[in-house]
Amino acid sequence: MEKITSFTIDHLRLIPGLYVSRVDFVEGHPITTFDIRITNPNEEPVMNTAEIHTIEHLAATFLRNHPTAGPKTIYFGPMGCRTGFYLLLSGSLTSREIIPLMTELFTFIAEFEGDIPGASAKDCGNYLDMNLPMAKYIARKYLTEVLTDIDDSRLLYPTND
């Protein structure tokens, strides 16, 4: 079998950033998949499931309720390797175009107070696996170390030389 696109990226050279993973077409309409890389693959510890779960609940709620991104949001969820998240948006978009949205999203998470949306036995299949303080820490770290003054090294995948 042929390798899928995400397995062709050199994870030894990949750093935390905001990348276009791929653009697919569904009935002629583009869908952009973004790689929101939070930790340095194979270098830093991966995120634990509780903070991933919390970020997923907060981000999905924020994005689907966003006045402009809401109608374009198809999916937000974690990578199996626990080093980041995938965001699927309707349209052919660049990483640079969504920096303001990602800054708004991660600021929302970093500053969130209160009950996590959907964190109840009625609404979620694993509602006890949440860690808001750690989710907020990760969001602040991503904001300051990645999104602030972001450049092409964190917007374009490393080339396979």
Side-chain angles (χ1 to χ4, degrees), residues 11 13 23 28 37 54 61 70 73 81-82 139 150:
H11 285 68
R13 298 177 53 216
V23 178
R37 192 63 58 155
T54 305
T61 300
T73 300
C81 62
R82 298 186 292 148
I150 195 167

Side-chain angles (χ1 to χ4, degrees), residues 81-92:
C81 62
R82 298 186 292 148
T83 63
F85 297 89
Y86 286 117
L87 169 63
L88 279 69
L89 295 175
S90 178
S92 183

Side-chain angles (χ1 to χ4, degrees), residues 39-94:
T39 67
N40 197 344
N42 303 304
E43 296 277 330
E44 290 182 281
V46 298
M47 295 177 287
N48 292 311
T49 61
E51 51 261 27
I52 289 172
H53 194 194
T54 305
I55 291 170
E56 182 229 348
H57 274 239
L58 292 171
T61 300
F62 174 87
L63 290 165
R64 293 183 196 290
N65 284 283
H66 193 274
T68 55
K72 296 178 182 180
T73 300
I74 296 167
Y75 173 76
F76 180 92
M79 295 176 178
C81 62
R82 298 186 292 148
T83 63
F85 297 89
Y86 286 117
L87 169 63
L88 279 69
L89 295 175
S90 178
S92 183
L93 303 162
T94 67

